[in-house]
Amino acid sequence: MAPICIALDAMGGDFGPSVVLPAALRVVNEHPELQLILVGDADVLRKHLTDLKAVNHPQFIIHHASQHVSMDESPALALRNKKDSSMRVAINLVKENKAQACVSAGNTGALVATARFVLKTVPGVDRPAILARIPTMNAKPVYILDLGANVDSAPDHLLQFAIMGSVYASAVENIERPSLRILNIGLEDIKGNELVKATAQLLPNYPAINYCGYIEADEVFQGKTDIVICDGFVGNVALKASEGTAKLISNFLKIAFRQNLLTRLSGLLAMAVLRVIKKRMDPARYNGASLLGLKGIVIKSHGGTNVLGFSQAIEEAIIEVKKNVPQRITDLVTKLLASSTETIFS
Amino acid sequence: MAPICIALDAMGGDFGPSVVLPAALRVVNEHPELQLILVGDADVLRKHLTDLKAVNHPQFIIHHASQHVSMDESPALALRNKKDSSMRVAINLVKENKAQACVSAGNTGALVATARFVLKTVPGVDRPAILARIPTMNAKPVYILDLGANVDSAPDHLLQFAIMGSVYASAVENIERPSLRILNIGLEDIKGNELVKATAQLLPNYPAINYCGYIEADEVFQGKTDIVICDGFVGNVALKASEGTAKLISNFLKIAFRQNLLTRLSGLLAMAVLRVIKKRMDPARYNGASLLGLKGIVIKSHGGTNVLGFSQAIEEAIIEVKKNVPQRITDLVTKLLASSTETIFS
């Protein structure tokens, strides 16, 4: 097995090393080929590793970084003033080919800005996009992008998202011609805003993209399509509306089961079932969003995730390294740019 | 009690008279002051009313309309070719002051286009907006607009939504200074698209609006604010993402409880609790979205709603008639336009 080396922003996220390091330990134990570079305050990291009895773990390398980016820091300020942050240094390691990917649970805005500045986008891609998996009623998830790296996207950006999403789904999930739809507020041609309508005109020109029309936000969860593309503002709102609704229902359930002795008893009996649902919907299981379109692999973990969630984000990085996602995106985009006709994509 | 007269599009929605008429009967029985004009194919309506033993009900008037707008009909075609549709005639009755409001479960696009064409918007309002109530973790709901009447809104439109939402919440819910936030993908000033940022610059100039900053889509369900404004494309996506998530969870619950004899038993015991949740989240309870900004009251019912849901939409119309919502919107907008300074709103 070829060795894989991944840099972790060990100080990022709401819980920093107390989540990142146990997750790192969990993942190396399952992947003997894996080397993890733990980037952050060396003293702090060593202390945490001592507590975990892993200070001399052969698969860990500590890489000191003197600063860290806080969760509410402005991306512009982080970029200018935090040149030795754990986030920046982890991305630098990818740039310098010392790591094949990096994973951070830090501030999304700062991560996107820094990754874009340090790694640059692949030729033909203007802006990186955030892609994530979402659970559906089917066994298979749906991939949605962009989830907030971009706002005020133009149709060309959505075309790039479509290419990147298609490459990702076929590379990572081995789907031969992944179906792709544009998120819209209706299915008829006349529905939608200017962006959606112009993108719908554009996509059929690229037979490499298996464009299947519009999809409404409620249908996304029915597993009818492999990839959904949208502007990052819209995608972020959809994702958070979904998270908010799940929390609302969970809150209603808790209150209802606590009502009286009888409901408490029925709650105890239903516990096993509710745990199954909770597991199936667990954001930790779906943690690890990809920043696609960069000359390097950058995985964004949810800031508030737990050990299982951060482990999942590292696993996502391993898959993208193995599948060589950035190179595949570069290849398809290059083909597209080099071709004067559009038929090569079929 | 002053009599109230409301026109119902009796042919609209997925189920037409078989939902609208039982709902009408239910509501008149609770409101002796109410007169309902049932608009649609007179023969069909009479047949349904005979089955309901209500063909001579003193609170019903049948008003014949020879056409009806189908659920997937283009708004432009409906406007041009369906001048005697139940939807159009119901709206005409409002225009002619023969009814104080109308309620339709028909095609949203056609309803918005027809209502706007027939009734016109109040001076100072460019476009009508769809406002609905959404359940939250608090006892009080949140009002959100626009939910899809408009796409590609400008900051001025969002300002108009803010005025209309504020008038609605204070008139209908008696909230003195309802708090209002703009839906965004982060809380910091630098977050958001051009529309959101420009609107955030505009709103503080109007002290009549209790503008409290941004809100993220997951926080909407926490009941932290009274009114949320957004572009109709974004609002529609948020609403449908929320509906889709609720259906996904309900689907997961069903499957999990059906797993085996033990889970079925625990499901039976938990039934009472699950019914409470279902009732609390029931879209029928929240049915009846308002088309605000028109010179008349138009209530849009969900197309697939049931008898309870359509009754709720009629109740919503009654409240808006009693509270005189369009006049209050006109008053505030006129004040705003007449004033050369902006301070009269405090």
Side-chain angles (χ1 to χ4, degrees), chain B residues 12-26:
Chain B
D14 298 343
F15 311 110
S18 60
V19 159
V20 174
L21 299 187
L25 195 57
R26 186 185 166 127

Side-chain angles (χ1 to χ4, degrees), chain A residues 152 194 216 240 242 245 252, chain B residues 152 194 216 240 242 245:
Chain A
D152 296 313
E194 293 305 322
E216 293 191 77
K240 285 182 183 154
S242 172
T245 305
F252 282 176
Chain B
D152 296 314
E194 292 305 322
E216 292 191 76
K240 285 181 183 153
S242 171
T245 305

Side-chain angles (χ1 to χ4, degrees), chain B residues 69-135:
Chain B
V69 177
S70 66
M71 290 308 272
D72 54 1
E73 198 157 338
S74 125
L77 288 181
L79 202 55
R80 198 182 315 143
N81 302 331
K82 296 285 177 76
K83 289 185 182 155
D84 198 37
S85 71
S86 54
M87 180 191 281
R88 175 78 167 256
V89 172
I91 297 171
N92 285 343
L93 290 168
V94 177
K95 166 80 180 165
E96 297 155 6
N97 290 317
K98 288 175 183 159
Q100 290 151 284
C102 74
V103 183
S104 174
N107 177 333
T108 309
L111 186 67
V112 173
T114 308
R116 192 178 172 181
F117 177 79
V118 173
L119 296 174
K120 314 294 181 209
T121 52
V122 306
V125 172
D126 296 316
R127 306 166 168 192
I130 299 176
L131 169 143
R133 283 184 308 154
I134 306 244

Side-chain angles (χ1 to χ4, degrees), chain B residues 34-291:
Chain B
L34 185 65
Q35 192 86 43
L36 291 179
I37 307 180
L38 312 173
V39 185
D41 184 311
D43 288 344
V44 173
L45 298 185
R46 237 176 255 119
K47 199 180 157 300
H48 272 91
L49 287 175
T50 307
D51 294 346
L52 292 168
K53 299 187 174 51
V55 77
N56 291 316
H57 197 292
Q59 290 172 266
F60 287 160
I61 298 165
I62 293 178
H63 190 113
H64 182 69
S66 62
Q67 298 175 302
H68 95 271
V69 177
S70 66
M71 290 308 272
D72 54 1
E73 198 157 338
S74 125
L77 288 181
L79 202 55
R80 198 182 315 143
N81 302 331
K82 296 285 177 76
K83 289 185 182 155
D84 198 37
S85 71
S86 54
M87 180 191 281
R88 175 78 167 256
V89 172
I91 297 171
N92 285 343
L93 290 168
V94 177
K95 166 80 180 165
E96 297 155 6
N97 290 317
K98 288 175 183 159
Q100 290 151 284
C102 74
V103 183
S104 174
N107 177 333
T108 309
L111 186 67
V112 173
T114 308
R116 192 178 172 181
F117 177 79
V118 173
L119 296 174
K120 314 294 181 209
T121 52
V122 306
V125 172
D126 296 316
R127 306 166 168 192
I130 299 176
L131 169 143
R133 283 184 308 154
I134 306 244
T136 72
M137 290 185 196
N138 283 344
K140 62 171 193 175
V142 60
Y143 296 92
I144 177 162
L145 74 163
D146 171 43
L147 290 172
N150 307 277
V151 295
D152 296 314
S153 311
D156 273 350
H157 300 131
L158 261 66
L159 167 62
Q160 293 164 16
F161 301 167
I163 296 168
M164 296 194 288
S166 300
V167 169
Y168 182 94
S170 57
V172 171
E173 291 294 317
N174 301 314
I175 307 169
E176 203 172 328
R177 268 181 72 70
S179 60
L180 180 141
R181 290 176 183 270
I182 303 173
L183 188 61
N184 198 0
I185 62 170
L187 302 180
E188 306 83 15
D189 284 347
I190 53 148
K191 288 286 176 79
N193 56 18
E194 292 305 322
L195 172 64
V196 156
K197 287 181 191 169
T199 308
Q201 293 289 319
L202 204 56
L203 295 187
N205 298 327
Y206 299 89
I209 299 165
N210 183 13
Y211 174 58
C212 301
Y214 294 140
I215 189 165
E216 292 191 76
D218 54 336
E219 298 171 329
V220 168
F221 303 91
Q222 291 168 19
K224 286 179 178 170
T225 199
D226 296 310
I227 308 152
V228 174
I229 58 165
C230 55
D231 168 64
F233 188 94
V234 171
N236 196 284
V237 165
L239 187 73
K240 285 181 183 153
S242 171
E243 285 173 3
T245 305
K247 271 187 208 150
L248 179 73
I249 296 175
S250 149
N251 175 280
F252 282 175
L253 276 170
K254 264 184 213 147
I255 294 169
F257 276 120
R258 277 186 198 146
Q259 209 68 25
N260 56 45
L261 210 69
L262 200 72
T263 58
R264 273 174 200 267
L265 186 70
S266 73
L268 273 175
L269 288 166
M271 192 78 88
V273 166
L274 296 175
R275 271 211 203 100
V276 169
I277 306 296
K278 214 178 159 185
K279 200 176 157 191
R280 215 171 152 180
M281 298 282 298
D282 186 3
R285 275 189 67 198
Y286 293 89
N287 191 38
S290 308
L291 258 69

